[in-house]
Amino acid sequence: MKLIVVDDEKGIVDGLRRMINRYIPECEVIGTAHNGLEGFELIQTLQPDLVITDIRMPKADGLDMIKMLNDVGSQAKFILLSGYTDFEYARRGMQLGVHYYINKPVEVEQLRECVGQVMEKIRLERTKMQEMNELKQEVLTRKQEKAWRDVLDLGSDNSDFLEELLQMAQIPMENASFLCAILELDGSAAAMKELSLHAVFEHIDRIFKQYQGVFRFRYAGSQVAIVIAHGESIKYEDLVRASALLKEEVQLELNLSATVGIGTIQKSAAGVSQSFEEASYALSYKFIKGSDEVIPFPEINNLTGPSHAVPEELIAKLEAGLDNMDESGCVETIREIFRGMEAEKNMRAADHQSQCLNILLSCVRNMPFQQLQQNDFLGRHILSLESISRSRTLEHLEEWTLKVIRRIISFKLEHNIPKKKDIITEIKDYLVKNYKEPIRIADLASRFFISPLYLSQFFKQKTGETYVNFLTQIRINKAKELLQSTDLKVYEICEMVGYSDTQHFARLFEKLTGCKPREYRKNIPNA
């Protein structure tokens, strides 16, 4: 404990310093002063834990000094030292929050007992403060995690709403750059217990500590989402190196194999969802490059390249065939794609192989990573660069690609993965029935056997809005019904329609209806 002695008698100051140094080793006298004004300046500068001060001193007495320090927010504890027994001093001291007194002449036992009591009080207060701060940080962390989930699920359409979400979660945005990465852990379910995740989070926090904001949370299955926010310029190569270090440490110290997909740097929070999509896309290449890799999105972009691109309508046709497990339709589409590649006389073998990468990723991007990992044939033998490179002729490459397509369809049938012809209708029905529950896109993806990113894109493509907006409208409509037909309090209705934050619910309600919940209820008879 740091301690300062304030007394206008030099002999008393020197005597107290010797007694404390000899009999109270837990305390260190870091300074002394000889009047109230000098003590006021010294205490503000050195910020001691404890001050022993005389009452009657020149320029400003001890009580005046304490009042001035209280006014500027000093957290020091005070022991009053005086040869006077005047009740008025004690009364004024109590009004200033001082509860400890030592009479002159000072005896060792009295000094030790009084200082010991004050130190114990300081320790208790610090413990409580630490517990309170940890609780506040936990609440804030969960609030920030939820905000980032909403941002990732909403996409970049509603920038005003995204900014509001991040402001409510106390996430810095002004002049900040953002980047997303996804860490995917390989191994058994036991490896993903919360204890292991906590250790992974500690590694993430330490390795990326140079950045102003580091947000990490379990996103889906064995995936950990990482969002970096930094007020200064971010060097992409530094992030790639830090990600490689993270992967190595997780493997060496936690015995967990990991793959990292990294998106690009975005200049605003509205671009976070794009960076996340890029990280997810990069991560999907683990089935081509192998697991235990760090895969930056620009590297994948350069690998595939824009030249000789397969027409989007053919890729969409292939995806639809896979969704409906239409083997003959998929075979016909693959044949058509390869006839187009055959007609491009200037295409090299590397170009053919690059096109196969794009085709394969289209085949697997809407399937959950966890299911792909369960299939040894797909994950280890088929989806690898080595397998592609072995096919030296276009004919061999075509037959190999057909083999992969047939095996994927077989895999879907073996795992009873439903056709996706009416999946949006099924998802809508599920949301309508379960709107009260905390529904995350990762939960939906797992339930309907589809990857979170593909589900988000597919839902918006088919409905014109995100699943979050659709779910929000359901909840607000139900809240309107409850406001009309019941006397439930607003916070009760908030909980009944699936929200835990009343303020957040009220803002959403006002955004969609034009008025606050209480105003809506008040104006119902006039509607």
Side-chain angles (χ1 to χ4, degrees), residues 256-320:
L256 293 172
S257 179
T259 306
V260 184
I262 310 174
T264 60
I265 298 169
Q266 301 294 318
K267 295 301 182 182
S268 70
V272 167
S273 59
Q274 178 183 334
S275 184
F276 185 76
E277 289 182 10
E278 293 168 349
S280 181
Y281 185 74
L283 189 64
S284 68
Y285 266 74
K286 68 176 289 185
F287 301 107
I288 303 297
K289 299 190 70 173
S291 59
D292 196 29
E293 293 284 341
V294 173
I295 312 173
F297 178 76
E299 179 182 309
I300 299 306
N301 243 7
N302 295 335
L303 178 65
T304 56
S307 62
H308 309 295
V310 177
E312 281 293 326
E313 59 269 21
L314 289 181
I315 293 294
K317 186 177 178 182
L318 178 61
E319 289 178 354

Side-chain angles (χ1 to χ4, degrees), residues 125-268:
E125 288 183 355
R126 286 180 177 174
T127 299
K128 290 180 181 179
M129 182 62 69
Q130 182 178 351
E131 291 173 353
M132 182 64 68
N133 289 339
E134 289 175 354
L135 180 60
K136 286 181 180 178
Q137 185 59 48
E138 183 179 349
V139 171
L140 179 61
T141 298
R142 292 188 181 278
K143 195 172 186 178
Q144 291 176 337
E145 174 184 329
K146 185 180 185 305
W148 280 125
R149 285 186 183 281
D150 290 342
V151 168
L152 298 182
D153 293 345
L154 278 169
S156 57
D157 292 342
N158 197 332
S159 58
D160 291 340
F161 186 45
L162 295 182
E163 288 184 6
E164 182 182 336
L165 280 173
L166 298 181
Q167 286 173 354
M168 288 173 57
Q170 301 176 38
I171 294 172
M173 294 179 295
E174 191 173 354
N175 300 321
S177 297
F178 299 86
L179 175 138
C180 286
I182 302 175
L183 173 74
E184 183 166 80
L185 301 172
D186 297 327
S188 64
M192 286 299 294
K193 288 181 179 179
E194 289 301 320
L195 183 61
S196 295
L197 267 185
H198 181 70
V200 171
F201 289 166
E202 287 182 342
H203 281 281
I204 292 172
D205 292 343
R206 183 174 53 76
I207 288 173
F208 294 102
K209 65 181 180 181
Q210 70 268 35
Y211 300 106
Q212 292 173 350
V214 179
F215 309 92
R216 69 290 183 278
F217 50 91
R218 187 172 186 170
Y219 180 70
S222 59
Q223 293 181 359
V224 174
I226 303 171
V227 182
I228 302 291
H230 195 58
E232 300 176 5
S233 176
I234 299 176
K235 292 184 178 179
Y236 198 76
E237 57 271 22
D238 290 344
L239 275 165
V240 173
R241 280 194 291 269
S243 299
L245 178 61
L246 173 64
K247 177 187 72 70
E248 291 170 6
E249 288 197 2
V250 165
Q251 184 171 22
L252 289 173
E253 299 184 26
L254 303 180
N255 197 29
L256 293 172
S257 179
T259 306
V260 184
I262 310 174
T264 60
I265 298 169
Q266 301 294 318
K267 295 301 182 182
S268 70

Side-chain angles (χ1 to χ4, degrees), residues 58 78 145 150 177 243 258 392 397 411 479 489-490 505 515 522:
F78 298 93
E145 174 184 329
D150 290 342
S177 297
S243 299
R392 292 296 181 181
L397 199 57
F411 170 76
K489 298 184 183 301
V490 172
F505 163 70
C515 61
K522 183 179 179 181

